[in-house]
Structures are given as structure tokens and as C-alpha cells.
């Protein structure tokens, strides 16, 4: 089993409901996962997507964004969902709509090539970034930049709708 980063797009009203009823948010995610499985992995893409995953690149993204002093914690979220139980490796955290918009502005200013500038896979291995076996390949940073682009696209669609997200590691 791998650890993966996950995101759920929610409106401001849905974020409030999730804060009051964290079990509703978990049931919502489970329903979306079930619908995706039934559709043979045909999860909505682009601006319609409710769920997004960064796969195993989550910790590398965190490492690289922290190096750039990124203003929003995109990997772990910013505020723990009150009363939420463990969704994998801890409870989910939320990023409010205004913070998503701030993140999108910062993402627009950080070209994917600059994200990994001055970093080699060996640096990630030395920092013990999960999964360490991934950093044995010389071209492994391409995976991280691809996930960075996909996360940027997802969050841009979230911000356009003035929504927020729940974030968790599963």
C-alpha cells in the first residue's frame, strides 16, 4: 500500500458543513470513490473534478514547495477539520477559498521547471523523502513536475469556482 496525497473540492457552504459534520465529508469522499470505481476510473477531469490525487509525489511536492517558501501548505492543508477522524494518515485539513486563490497566484508565479531547479533525485533521497526508492531513477523529478502541473490545474479550477479543498494523506 502506498501513501498518496488527496484533495476534495468543496464549496464554502460544503466546507462549513464538513467542519460541523466531518462524517458527512468522509461519506461524500467514499461515494465519489465508489462512483469512480463503477465508472471504470472515469473520474471527472479538469474543472469538474471533485477529487484530485498527487500520488506518491506528495512529500516531494512538500519538500520542494517549502524550499521556495510557498505561502500555503498545499500538501497537508492549513487547518485540521474539527472532530474528524483519521482518513488514512491523520485527519483531513482544509484550505479556505481565499487561501486557494492565494495559492493559485503563487503557483502561476512558479514555473514547474523552477520548482526542481538546483535539486537532484539524490537530494530527495538524502532528505528521506517518501518513497525513497523513487529517487533512484535519474528522471524521477519529471514525475514531481507532472504532479505539480496537475495540482496547479486542479487548484486553478477550484479557485475559479471560489471553492476550497480538504487535503489528506491516504
Amino acid at each position: 500500500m502506498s501513501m498518496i496525497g488527496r484533495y476534495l473540492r468543496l464549496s464554502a457552504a460544503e466546507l462549513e458543513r464538513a467542519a460541523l459534520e466531518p462524517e458527512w465529508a468522509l461519506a461524500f469522499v467514499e461515494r465519489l470513490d465508489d462512483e469512480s470505481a463503477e465508472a471504470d476510473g472515469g473520474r471527472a477531469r479538469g474543472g469538474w473534478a471533485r477529487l484530485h490525487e498527487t500520488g506518491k509525489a506528495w512529500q516531494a511536492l512538500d519538500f520542494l514547495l517549502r524550499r521556495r517558501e510557498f505561502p500555503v501548505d498545499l500538501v497537508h492543508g492549513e487547518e485540521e477539520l474539527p472532530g474528524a477522524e483519521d482518513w488514512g494518515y491523520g485527519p483531513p485539513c482544509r484550505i479556505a477559498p481565499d487561501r486557494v486563490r492565494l495559492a493559485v497566484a503563487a503557483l502561476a508565479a512558479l514555473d514547474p521547471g523552477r520548482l526542481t531547479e538546483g535539486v537532484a533525485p539524490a537530494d530527495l533521497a538524502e532528505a528521506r523523502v517518501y518513497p525513497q526508492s523513487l529517487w533512484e531513477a535519474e528522471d524521477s523529478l519529471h514525475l514531481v513536475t507532472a504532479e505539480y502541473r496537475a495540482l496547479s490545474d486542479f487548484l486553478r479550477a477550484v479557485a475559479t469556482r471560489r471553492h476550497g479543498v480538504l487535503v489528506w494523506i491516504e
Side-chain angles (χ1 to χ4, degrees), residues 29-52:
V29 168
E30 290 170 346
R31 190 178 86 233
L32 290 172
D33 281 340
D34 289 346
E35 289 171 3
S36 176
E38 288 173 15
D40 194 31
R43 196 174 274 157
R45 302 280 185 229
W48 295 106
R50 279 294 198 147
L51 290 171
H52 179 78

Side-chain angles (χ1 to χ4, degrees), residues 6-24:
R6 297 198 71 196
Y7 298 78
L8 171 65
R9 175 177 59 84
L10 295 173
S11 69
E14 290 168 331
L15 278 172
E16 282 184 40
R17 182 174 181 188
L20 296 171
E21 304 173 53
E23 63 282 349
W24 167 83

Side-chain angles (χ1 to χ4, degrees), residues 124-145:
L124 296 172
E126 183 179 321
R128 304 186 59 83
V129 171
Y130 175 85
Q132 285 193 272
S133 62
L134 183 63
W135 314 121
E136 294 168 7
E138 285 302 312
D139 64 347
S140 56
L141 291 178
H142 293 295
L143 166 72
V144 180
T145 55

Side-chain angles (χ1 to χ4, degrees), residues 38-123:
E38 288 173 15
D40 194 31
R43 196 174 274 157
R45 302 280 185 229
W48 295 106
R50 279 294 198 147
L51 290 171
H52 179 78
E53 296 176 358
T54 56
K56 294 186 258 184
W58 64 272
Q59 195 172 31
L61 288 169
D62 185 52
F63 177 84
L64 294 167
L65 289 169
R66 285 182 192 277
R67 284 181 70 245
R68 297 286 178 186
E69 297 180 2
F70 201 80
V72 178
D73 188 345
L74 293 181
V75 174
H76 301 287
E78 296 198 306
E79 182 183 355
E80 193 172 295
L81 196 60
E85 299 200 9
D86 186 334
W87 284 20
Y89 292 91
C93 292
R94 58 187 164 187
I95 303 175
D98 62 321
R99 299 291 292 167
V100 171
R101 289 191 300 279
L102 174 64
V104 167
L107 289 166
L110 180 56
D111 179 81
R114 281 195 44 233
L115 179 69
T116 58
E117 191 174 73
V119 177
D123 298 321

